Amino acid sequence: MNAETPAATSGPLRIEDRGSHVLATLNRPEKRNAIDQDLIDALHELCAELEHTPRTLVLHGAGGDFAAGADIAQLRERRAADARAGINTRAFMRVAGLPMPVIAALDGFALGGGAELAYAADIRVGTPALRIGNPETGLGILAAAGASWRLRELVGEPLAAEILLAGRILDGTEALAAGLVTHLHDTGEEALAAAEKIAARIGKLDPEATRATKRVLRAPREAHPAIDLAEQASLFESPEKMRRMTEFLERKKK
């Protein structure tokens, strides 16, 4: 979100510039923030901004839920061509691929497509009231917008298999134990505050080093260590590295 772009305070995705980061609120509380085409379109528009001007992104949902899933009324009408188009898949891949970190503050329902959007984040915090999982097979479909590969990487294959094949829903305590979220907070407001605190901490770090670290972290195993060394070589030549290290050493002298 650049300086010339006003915050979007209504519509399916409410966007606020919070200085160190952008806060995006899924804003269909009357539908438990079910993900419809308008929300997907808004996510693409936001991603275009954040690809052009990288900022940390915090995602959360209005009204006590993150997102209870995809909009079933729209989903029921989709056919094979829509599945192959990867409507939700491509949007969530774009969120996951943003240059700067994505943090999800999760409360209430984060199910189906809502869970898959949460899995696309780099960091997730939650509440005890969180209910997260993938009940898609009960609706005659599969979790095809990222869960089949991201969830296994996040929680391991045995638990991912139970969530995907048996429709197990994790509560907040179980999600914490599985490593799916890294912190639990009593309320959604507190979880959001914690997510924004993490974003503010990121904002104090070198943005280019953060972007490089995300690229390395997301790279496949076979890309290491070559990608680490290439990214580090670039950072070793950066003026910001020199400035920050000089500042550190001068502080140590005092």
Side-chain angles (χ1 to χ4, degrees):
M1 202 176 162
N2 59 45
E4 291 77 30
T5 304
T9 57
S10 60
L13 192 66
R14 190 170 70 239
I15 301 168
E16 302 169 64
D17 187 331
R18 305 297 283 254
S20 62
H21 60 279
V22 171
L23 172 63
T25 303
L26 281 61
N27 192 34
R28 303 185 71 214
E30 73 286 355
K31 298 288 187 181
R32 294 186 182 272
N33 301 320
I35 297 170
D36 66 354
Q37 185 64 59
D38 288 342
L39 183 52
I40 290 294
D41 292 343
L43 280 171
H44 277 297
E45 186 175 344
L46 174 60
C47 285
E49 288 279 350
L50 296 178
E51 289 159 355
H52 182 267
T53 306
R55 304 276 299 282
T56 295
L57 172 63
V58 175
L59 290 168
H60 89 125
D65 292 296
F66 183 69
D71 189 297
I72 302 302
Q74 288 189 4
L75 202 57
R76 185 181 62 178
E77 301 308 311
R78 291 178 182 171
R79 295 296 183 264
D82 300 303
R84 293 189 179 97
I87 295 169
N88 290 5
T89 305
R90 297 186 190 286
F92 300 165
M93 288 179 70
R94 201 169 180 185
V95 169
L98 287 171
M100 288 291 283
V102 178
I103 307 166
L106 307 175
D107 188 25
F109 290 128
L111 300 175
E116 291 179 297
L117 176 56
Y119 303 155
D122 299 291
I123 300 168
R124 286 162 295 279
V125 300
T127 71
L130 173 63
R131 299 295 181 269
I132 186 166
N134 293 90
E136 280 90 340
T137 53
L139 294 170
I141 59 173
L142 61 84
S148 63
W149 72 90
R150 288 199 182 99
L151 189 56
R152 178 172 55 189
E153 295 171 353
L154 291 169
V155 302
E157 189 162 344
L159 182 54
E162 188 173 356
I163 292 169
L164 294 170
L165 299 177
R168 178 177 171 184
I169 305 300
L170 304 184
D171 63 26
T173 301
E174 291 169 324
L176 179 64
L180 194 52
V181 299
T182 54
H183 306 277
L184 280 187
H185 302 273
D186 289 339
T187 68
E189 290 79 8
E190 291 175 3
L192 176 58
E196 294 200 88
K197 186 176 180 180
I198 295 169
R201 187 162 73 240
I202 292 169
K204 297 177 181 178
L205 308 175
D206 176 19
E208 187 50 49
T210 301
R211 292 194 291 271
T213 300
K214 178 167 178 175
R215 289 192 294 269
V216 168
L217 183 63
R218 292 282 184 161
R221 177 63 184 85
E222 59 270 19
H224 300 277
I227 187 172
D228 307 70
L229 303 181
E231 293 285 1
Q232 190 77 301
S234 178
L235 291 171
F236 271 18
E237 298 295 331
S238 73
E240 185 64 7
K241 173 243 187 181
M242 295 298 297
R243 186 191 71 78
R244 285 175 177 261
M245 289 192 176
T246 300
E247 185 178 86
F248 174 84
L249 292 170
E250 288 176 350
R251 283 202 308 269
K252 291 279 284 185
K253 291 177 183 177
K254 294 178 181 179

